[in-house]
Amino acid sequence: MTSEVTPELFSTVPDASGRFGRFGGKFVAETLMSALADLEQLYADLKDDKAFQSEFDLDLAHYVGRPSPLYEAARLSDHIGGARIFLKREDLNHTGAHKVNNTIGQALLAKHMGKKRVIAETGAGQHGVASATVAARLGLECHVFMGEEDIRRQALNVYRMKLLGAHVVSVTSGSRTLKDAMNEAMRDWVTHIDDTFYIIGTVAGPHPYPMLVRDFQSVIGREARAQSLAQTGKLPDALVACVGGGSNAIGLFHPFLQDADVAMYGVEAGGKGLETGEHAAPLSAGTPGVLHGNRTYLMQDEHGQILDTHSVSAGLDYPGVGPEHSWLKDIGRVQYVAANDDEALAAFHRLTRIEGIMPALETAHAMAHAEKLAATMSPDQQIVVNLSGRGDKDILTVAALDGIEV
Amino acid sequence: MSRLGAVFQGLREQNRKGVIPYVVAGDPSPDGTVSLLHQLVAAGADVLEIGVPFSDPMSEGPIIQKGHERALANGMNLSAVLEMVSVFRRDDQRTPIVMMGYANPIERFGYSAFADACAVAGVDGLITVDLPPEEVDEIDAALQAVGLDNIFLISPTTPEARIQTIVDRARGFIYCVAVKGVTGSGQLDTDAVAARVATIQGMTTLPVAVGFGIKDASSASAVAKVADAVVVGSALIAEMEAMGRAENASEIQIHGGAVKLLQSIRSGVDSSPS
Ligand SMILES: Cc1ncc(COP(=O)(O)O)c(C=O)c1O
């Protein structure tokens, strides 16, 4: 870490203009500026409001099923031989991933604003399902934008969204994946700005989204911190989470940022290998730029055009990343690494066979790195991995990759 | 006086309204863009707006998106757009050129290097969709240093207090977005546009151009009654796309679609009494 990093620093971001150091901001068309200002104001009013917080907490407890367990994967730890591995079981949440923590929070904001229509972008479909779920519960009209390519590889989640009453809009522009779904959601938002709330699914987008999504997801880290202390009498030595846009990672990391002895690893999608260029790892192999309303590390060419990404996991297949991660990288607080498709697939099978837990392919990237890390550590050390989601949605993909017809 | 200042002053003196076509650099083909620009001037354009292709044009509707995609497939990039402007300037010193695009290609180029390159090429103004006043300081300083105008958008959702902030730092002209939505979408509400333009004109002496939703001579003529200039983009590109669908369509025929529409918009605007 660089010398000017003090524990207090982490509570100062973002600043009033939405900056995390040089990252973040509000790089959007004028039409959106007043909607963002309204959202900022509402959130400032509700953030520390006791009634709002208890409404949120109650939903997390009774609807999502929180707290999620911190489970010691003892057989896997033995198998690897090294640090004790603990899994923060976000896969056990209602709808099967961490995404729902955020959609519950944003849906409450939408309700307070009196919006009747919500929109969302989705890659793996987990955020789309979580949005469709809260929309069904609150009786809101819901439109989910999803790249044509992702609709194909996440067919089960597409059907889930439809069952929940959402309209799934197929996006055929650009690379037909998550970034294009986000473009299309932004376009829908400017067109229906008066009655629509945009539920962004990760810690990206313009200010205040990276901040409020982080705040809603931080329940993961707060619980994990208390559970570590209660179950093991100490804080973990390392945290590991996969990074698409970065919401499950920031949710785990944020409550530990001031604990200087806790190391943190964000795991990006290495795709076919960083050296091939076919990956989705902007922090590991990208450069800063502006996309989707914020300045952050991006995968781009020398002319500033955004590059196509590749990952076996639709939820990590994104050329940008939340601006707070870019800042945490630059100040050296978090290490960002990559796990490639094959490593993730192997980790998927290992966790399934050794612990009876089938992780999402996104999550399998975190597992792949956690295993490598654990092997370098000693049995008196411990790692917490964010088990961000369950793998049911990926079964057909895994079967196809393994050459099996289901 | 700047080229933009001179053109708008001339229009005012003649009691005429401006016509501003928008095309994407490199669409439908990189070799044809400069000649298309000259043809548009001949058809009555007062100012040219050139779209800089971007992989993620978030404020564009499907028609202009496709223009960006075609241009990128043709290998277009920011340096090549600047090169086109300098080629255009060899034969036209008078018509102002405004580049319209997104922040990332400019960030990548470097703000001050970009401003310098614009000045050398003969660009007069810049519209960057995703650089609202809150994010514009750096590029604005670079543009001012070389005497270029940063042009701001004002949208139907911009509160009045914010309009004042925007016009206070605007140069060149004000771009008033007529509809809530992306380019090429929406139904133009002429009364609302008139009220909006009047509000803006009450706060600044800068000319006000209106864009988004102007499709033909009659919508252009209605808007020209209340604004200083009209911007037309999607409709021109749609015309070229339609011409291009014909088998073996020549570039002259494809451009002809846009040129014909611009001529008719020009006469619609000129016939509108103000
Ligand atoms: C299970 C799971 N984990 C992780 C991600 C990646 O998103 P983020 O980086 O915002 O946590 C997704 C996205 O779809 C997901 O479904």
Side-chain angles (χ1 to χ4, degrees):
Chain A
M1 259 192 270
T2 47
S3 55
E4 66 274 19
V5 177
T6 60
E8 295 73 40
L9 184 62
F10 302 107
S11 54
T12 63
V13 293
D15 68 12
S17 55
R19 295 289 176 137
F20 302 85
R22 65 180 167 140
F23 300 105
K26 280 186 184 174
F27 294 85
V28 295
E30 177 60 24
T31 307
L32 295 179
M33 289 303 283
S34 63
L36 291 175
D38 291 349
L39 180 59
E40 217 178 318
Q41 187 56 54
L42 177 84
Y43 187 63
D45 293 344
L46 292 180
K47 190 170 145 44
D48 299 314
D49 179 83
K50 290 229 161 51
F52 178 78
Q53 275 309 330
S54 66
E55 201 178 357
F56 180 54
D57 291 344
L58 216 66
D59 276 355
L60 290 184
H62 296 161
Y63 191 67
V64 177
R66 303 204 70 91
S68 67
L70 183 69
Y71 163 76
E72 179 164 12
R75 234 165 79 80
L76 181 69
S77 306
D78 279 351
H79 179 81
I80 304 290
R84 294 166 70 187
I85 298 173
F86 291 78
L87 307 177
K88 181 62 177 157
R89 298 290 308 274
E90 293 299 301
D91 59 319
L92 296 179
N93 293 342
H94 180 43
T95 71
H98 69 291
K99 296 284 182 190
V100 72
N101 303 326
N102 168 46
T103 57
I104 293 269
Q106 288 196 49
L108 286 179
L109 296 178
K111 199 173 92 178
H112 276 267
M113 288 180 129
K115 305 278 184 180
K116 296 277 177 270
R117 181 177 182 272
V118 295
I119 57 172
E121 84 293 340
T122 198
Q126 286 305 110
H127 175 61
V129 166
S131 299
T133 300
V134 296
R137 177 166 174 249
L138 296 176
L140 304 172
E141 179 184 333
C142 179
H143 298 258
V144 179
F145 295 87
M146 191 167 185
E148 194 180 46
E149 165 69 12
D150 291 337
I151 285 184
R152 188 188 57 71
R153 55 180 168 171
Q154 300 287 340
L156 288 177
N157 270 344
V158 173
Y159 187 53
R160 283 169 84 193
M161 288 183 262
K162 289 182 179 162
L163 287 174
L164 289 159
H167 307 271
V168 179
V169 184
S170 172
V171 176
T172 56
S173 55
S175 60
R176 301 161 191 229
T177 59
L178 183 52
K179 102 177 153 68
D180 310 283
M182 193 144 181
N183 290 335
E184 213 50 46
M186 293 265 189
R187 291 180 186 124
D188 180 282
W189 196 26
V190 291
T191 309
H192 301 98
I193 191 91
D194 294 328
D195 69 342
T196 296
F197 188 99
Y198 181 13
I199 305 182
I200 295 186
T202 189
V203 283
H207 180 64
Y209 281 100
M211 172 178 74
L212 63 88
V213 176
R214 172 195 75 192
D215 292 352
F216 292 141
Q217 291 292 3
S218 289
V219 65
I220 301 172
R222 279 197 306 275
E223 286 177 7
R225 201 172 183 285
Q227 289 165 324
S228 284
L229 290 171
Q231 291 171 218
T232 72
K234 58 176 190 169
L235 292 179
D237 298 282
L239 306 175
V240 181
C242 66
V243 177
S247 67
N248 87 88
I250 211 81
L252 177 64
F253 296 168
H254 196 258
F256 291 93
L257 286 173
Q258 306 201 8
D259 301 309
D261 293 336
V262 179
M264 301 183 187
Y265 299 87
V267 188
E268 297 190 294
K272 296 181 178 165
L274 293 185
E275 67 290 349
T276 66
E278 293 189 51
H279 56 81
L283 291 166
S284 306
T287 48
V290 170
L291 180 68
H292 293 153
N294 66 93
R295 181 176 288 126
T296 194
Y297 278 88
L298 298 174
M299 291 182 50
Q300 56 178 324
D301 69 12
E302 73 271 28
H303 301 295
Q305 306 296 344
I306 307 306
L307 293 171
D308 284 354
T309 51
H310 167 84
S311 171
V312 68
S313 112
L316 302 184
D317 214 348
Y318 181 65
V321 63
E324 191 162 8
H325 286 290
S326 293
W327 178 72
L328 290 168
K329 170 191 160 75
D330 275 13
I331 65 170
R333 179 63 186 93
V334 179
Q335 309 306 309
Y336 293 92
V337 297
N340 65 30
D341 288 351
D342 292 344
E343 292 171 323
L345 204 62
F348 169 93
H349 284 299
R350 239 178 340 259
L351 192 66
T352 302
R353 293 299 282 266
I354 295 179
E355 292 287 350
I357 296 173
M358 205 175 283
L361 281 177
E362 292 78 15
T363 315
H365 289 72
M367 289 309 306
H369 186 72
E371 292 173 355
K372 278 192 222 165
L373 184 66
T376 69
M377 295 166 67
S378 64
D380 61 345
Q381 293 184 296
Q382 50 203 48
I383 299 176
V384 171
V385 186
N386 197 354
L387 206 84
S388 58
R390 65 182 182 224
D392 309 37
K393 70 184 175 59
D394 294 316
I395 287 176
L396 295 177
T397 306
V398 171
L401 288 169
D402 290 341
I404 290 160
E405 217 170 297
V406 179
Chain B
M1 185 186 277
S2 71
R3 270 189 286 259
L4 276 167
V7 162
F8 278 108
Q9 189 182 355
L11 286 167
R12 264 184 198 175
E13 284 166 6
Q14 297 164 36
N15 204 17
R16 293 174 72 222
K17 299 304 175 73
V19 171
I20 309 178
Y22 166 99
V23 290
V24 180
D27 173 46
S29 87
D31 295 341
T33 297
V34 171
S35 86
L36 173 61
L37 295 175
H38 288 304
Q39 287 173 278
L40 291 171
V41 173
D46 298 294
V47 175
L48 295 168
E49 204 177 297
I50 306 185
V52 179
F54 182 48
S55 51
D56 295 81
M58 276 183 304
S59 292
E60 316 300 345
I63 294 169
I64 295 182
Q65 277 175 49
K66 288 209 190 77
H68 282 244
E69 284 181 17
R70 284 189 296 265
L72 289 174
N74 290 334
M76 259 298 113
N77 59 55
L78 188 50
S79 310
V81 182
L82 288 163
E83 177 59 26
M84 283 176 179
V85 174
S86 48
V87 173
F88 173 84
R89 277 276 169 261
R90 286 182 204 149
D91 301 312
D92 187 330
Q93 289 293 323
R94 204 192 126 267
T95 311
I97 291 187
V98 172
M99 298 217 312
M100 180 163 184
Y102 293 81
N104 199 51
I106 303 174
E107 288 239 338
R108 188 71 197 190
F109 201 101
Y111 284 150
S112 88
F114 172 70
D116 292 347
C118 282
V120 170
V123 176
D124 301 281
L126 188 71
I127 305 171
T128 312
V129 180
D130 50 354
L131 291 180
E134 284 78 354
E135 304 293 354
V136 86
D137 288 348
E138 205 180 329
I139 192 155
D140 201 18
L143 292 173
Q144 275 194 59
V146 293
L148 262 65
D149 293 331
N150 188 66
I151 292 148
F152 286 97
L153 303 169
I154 289 177
S155 93
T157 59
T158 308
E160 283 199 19
R162 192 176 159 82
I163 296 182
Q164 189 65 59
T165 314
I166 293 175
V167 300
D168 284 348
R169 63 181 307 171
R171 300 186 301 281
F173 62 92
I174 303 290
Y175 191 133
C176 173
V177 175
V179 296
K180 290 174 192 164
V182 292
T183 49
S185 72
Q187 205 49 48
L188 203 64
D189 176 347
T190 320
D191 291 343
V193 170
R196 196 64 174 168
V197 173
T199 304
I200 298 169
Q201 284 172 336
M203 297 185 189
T204 179
T205 54
L206 285 174
V208 179
V210 173
F212 285 43
I214 294 167
K215 294 181 167 61
D216 50 22
S218 86
S219 49
S221 142
V223 169
K225 283 194 180 65
V226 299
D228 298 302
V230 299
V231 183
V232 53
S234 299
L236 297 177
I237 293 171
E239 281 301 314
M240 290 196 283
E241 210 178 59
M243 301 304 276
R245 253 179 256 125
E247 215 172 316
N248 299 325
S250 71
E251 190 158 272
I252 297 175
Q253 287 167 320
I254 293 174
H255 290 175
V259 170
K260 233 175 101 194
L261 177 60
L262 197 74
Q263 283 164 341
S264 106
I265 284 172
R266 174 82 263 172
S267 38
V269 166
D270 287 346
S271 68
S272 109
S274 53

